[in-house]
């Protein structure tokens, strides 16, 4: 089944909202996570609406609806301001992959000193790159939710790894 980039972005945003919604449990992060899912729902609607009112003559593949862009930016900010959500920086980047036509950028390498941590980082980045490349596949929308969940898990693991590496450094090097 082939879909338009905006339709595929809506599917990814919806899957991401479902994953975040699943993480929402009573606790200090609950309100922030609920607000983030609301923002992801706004992005879904913005992508759907952009399809309804799209100019058929337009061939611009990189047009991101303003409402979607703002909602995703607000979700990122909210997650950053509330680290107890457990959502890593850049977690919404997968939503824009179909619209931009390229997989999101990988998190910056943390250059761990220990060989074991370096190997973990390499493995996680390789897996993340592969999964996020698969997210561009519009022929198998039934796999999108699993890819989104895996992407978020890998990005979270990389964020934890970066924190662990940073905590191992002397305070003078941080």
């Amino acid at each position: 089944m082939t879909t338009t980039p905006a339709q595929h972005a809506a599917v990814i945003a919806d899957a991401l909202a479902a994953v975040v919604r699943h993480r929402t449990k009573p606790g200090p992060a609950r309100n922030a996570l609920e607000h983030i899912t609301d923002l992801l729902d706004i992005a879904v609607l913005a992508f759907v609406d952009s399809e309804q009112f799209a100019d058929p003559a337009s061939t611009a593949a990189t047009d991101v609806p303003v409402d979607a862009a703002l909602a995703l930016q607000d979700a990122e900010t909210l997650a950053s301001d509330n680290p107890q959500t457990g959502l890593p920086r850049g977690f919404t980047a997968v939503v824009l992959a179909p619209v931009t036509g390229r997989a999101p950028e990988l998190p910056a390498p943390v250059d761990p000193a220990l060989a074991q941590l370096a190997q973990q980082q390499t493995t996680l980045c390789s897996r993340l790159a592969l999964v996020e490349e698969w997210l561009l596949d519009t022929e198998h929308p039934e796999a999108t939710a699993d890819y989104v969940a895996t992407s978020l898990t890998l990005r979270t693991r990389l964020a934890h790894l970066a924190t662990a590496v940073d905590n191992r450094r002397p305070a003078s090097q941080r």
Side-chain angles (χ1 to χ4, degrees), residues 29-131:
R30 182 183 185 125
N31 288 341
L33 288 168
E34 287 175 348
H35 193 148
I36 288 168
T37 60
D38 291 343
L39 290 165
L40 290 168
D41 289 341
I42 289 169
V44 170
L45 293 173
F47 281 115
V48 169
D49 287 347
S50 75
E51 280 295 297
Q52 291 175 341
F53 303 110
D55 176 6
S58 174
T59 59
T62 58
D63 289 344
V64 176
V66 173
D67 289 347
L70 292 175
L72 294 173
Q73 183 179 22
D74 288 349
E76 285 284 345
T77 300
L78 192 56
S80 178
D81 290 348
N82 295 277
Q84 70 274 20
T85 64
L87 296 171
R89 177 176 293 147
F91 78 99
T92 64
V94 295
V95 174
L96 299 177
V99 180
T100 63
R102 61 184 189 282
E105 289 185 30
L106 294 174
V110 292
D111 197 24
L114 295 175
Q116 180 183 8
L117 293 178
Q119 181 58 44
Q120 274 184 302
Q121 178 179 325
T122 301
T123 301
L124 290 171
C125 282
S126 296
R127 289 178 181 165
L128 180 62
L130 184 60
V131 166

